[in-house]
Amino acid sequence: MSTAGHETAANAPTAGEYIVHHLTQWNTSGHAQKDIIDFSIINIDTMIFSVLMGVLGLFVMWRVARSVTSGVPGRLQAAVEIVLEMANDQAKGIVHSAESRKFVGPLALTVFVWVFLMNSMDFLPVDLLPLLWQTVTGNPHAFLRVVPTADLNGTLGLSIGVLLICLYYNVKIKGFGGWVHELFTAPFGSHPLLYPVNFAMQIIEFLAKTISHGMRLFGNMYAGELIFMLIALMGAAWTVSATGVSLFIGHVLAGSAWAIFHILIVTLQAFIFMMLTLVYIGQAHEAH
C-alpha cells in the first residue's frame, strides 16, 4: 500500500465516529446539541428538508388536480385518488361532524402525504447528500441529516401542531366556558375538591398524547436510519478476502431486504401519524 493509502486509512473515521457524525444535525450552533431541549438551537437541515417535502407534496397534488380526467386515470392520478379516498374514509369514521370534516379531511391527507415524503428521504443512500454537501461547502466535516422525521424536534413540532388544532376544536365545539368546565370536572366529577385532580389529569392527558405522538414517529424513523448506517458500515468494512467478500454480500442482501421492508415502515408510520391525528381531533369533539 502507498504512503497516501496509509494516510487515508489512518484518517478514516471509526465506526463510532461515522455514526455520530451522521446523527449530528446541521444547526445554528455549529456543533452537536448537548441537551435534549435547547430552544436556542435550530436544526437547519430539518427545517429545509421539511419545507422541501411539503412543497413537493403540494406541487404533486396541484399537478394532479390540474390534469385530472374523468376517463381512465393515469398511474399518478389513480395513486392520489386512492390516498384521497383512504384519508376521507378515515376522517368520516372518526370525526362525525360534517362541518369539521371540511377541514379535517384535507388535513388528514396533508399529514399523510407530508409525513410519507419526509420518511421517504430515508430511501436515499446514507452518504449521498452528506457527501454532496461536504463537497459544496468544502468542509469534510460538515453535518447534514436528510430525514426530518428522524429528528425529535421535527416530530414533536408536528405533534404540537396537532395539539393546537385539538385545542381549537375543543373551544369551537364546546365553547370556551364549556371546555374550561370540562377541564375541571372530567373525568372524576364536578365536586370542588376534585377540581385540582381533574385539571391535573387533563393536562397530563394532553401532554402524554402530544409527546407519545411525536416520539412514536421519531423512534421508528431513527431506528430505521441507524440500521441503514450499520448496513453501510458492513459494506465499507469488506476487503478482498473470504471474510471481506462475505461482508460485502451480507451488505448487499441486508441492504436490499431492509430497503424493501422499510417501504412498509415508511408508509405505516405515515398512516399511524395520520390516524392518531384524526383520533385526537375526534376526541376534541366529544363531551365527557
Side-chain angles (χ1 to χ4, degrees):
M1 184 183 291
S2 65
T3 304
H6 281 293
E7 291 178 353
T8 301
N11 294 329
T14 64
E17 291 171 342
Y18 172 83
I19 291 177
V20 169
H21 185 272
H22 273 279
L23 294 179
T24 303
Q25 305 280 163
W26 171 31
N27 57 43
T28 52
S29 70
H31 55 76
Q33 182 175 325
K34 297 180 181 179
D35 301 319
I36 296 177
I37 298 176
D38 189 341
F39 292 107
S40 66
I41 295 176
I42 297 175
N43 290 337
I44 302 172
D45 44 15
T46 296
M47 297 291 291
I48 290 175
F49 288 109
S50 296
V51 172
L52 285 177
M53 293 302 101
V55 171
L56 176 61
L58 290 173
F59 176 74
V60 170
M61 292 297 179
W62 174 72
R63 286 298 302 269
V64 171
R66 283 195 60 188
S67 60
V68 67
T69 61
S70 58
V72 179
R75 293 181 180 179
L76 182 58
Q77 180 182 331
V80 170
E81 288 179 354
I82 291 172
V83 174
L84 177 61
E85 290 177 5
M86 178 272 295
N88 192 46
D89 289 343
Q90 298 300 329
K92 285 182 179 179
I94 297 174
V95 181
H96 303 299
S97 169
E99 180 65 25
S100 295
R101 285 201 304 271
K102 293 179 181 179
F103 172 78
V104 175
L107 173 66
L109 176 65
T110 302
V111 167
F112 178 82
V113 172
W114 193 19
V115 173
F116 175 80
L117 289 174
M118 288 191 289
N119 291 351
S120 297
M121 292 298 290
D122 216 8
F123 293 140
L124 295 176
V126 172
D127 295 306
L128 177 60
L129 293 184
L131 286 177
L132 287 175
W133 178 241
Q134 290 168 9
T135 301
V136 169
T137 59
N139 179 6
H141 304 293
F143 300 118
L144 186 71
R145 291 185 69 185
V146 302
V147 186
T149 47
D151 176 14
L152 184 58
N153 297 276
T155 57
L156 284 181
L158 291 172
S159 63
I160 290 172
V162 173
L163 171 65
L164 295 176
I165 295 173
C166 291
L167 296 179
Y168 166 77
Y169 274 107
N170 269 296
V171 174
K172 180 180 180 181
I173 300 300
K174 303 164 188 175
F176 182 75
W179 179 53
V180 171
H181 179 265
E182 183 179 273
L183 283 177
F184 288 92
T185 60
F188 299 121
S190 58
H191 193 283
L193 293 177
L194 295 175
Y195 287 171
V197 179
N198 288 327
F199 181 75
M201 291 296 293
Q202 290 279 351
I203 297 302
I204 290 172
E205 180 182 354
F206 280 120
L207 289 176
K209 289 192 296 187
T210 301
I211 294 173
S212 64
H213 195 192
M215 290 196 70
R216 180 182 287 105
L217 177 60
F218 159 74
N220 283 279
M221 297 311 302
Y222 183 90
E225 185 181 35
L226 190 58
I227 290 175
F228 273 124
M229 291 180 194
L230 294 174
I231 293 173
L233 284 172
M234 184 188 299
W238 83 286
T239 56
V240 184
S241 65
T243 303
V245 171
S246 298
L247 282 174
F248 180 76
I249 294 174
H251 162 75
V252 173
L253 294 177
S256 301
W258 181 247
I260 294 172
F261 180 67
H262 206 58
I263 295 174
L264 299 177
I265 295 177
V266 163
T267 307
L268 181 62
Q269 290 307 313
F271 179 77
I272 291 174
F273 197 91
M274 179 199 74
M275 288 299 297
L276 289 175
T277 298
L278 290 173
V279 168
Y280 296 156
I281 294 175
Q283 290 176 345
H285 286 69
E286 300 171 357
H288 289 278

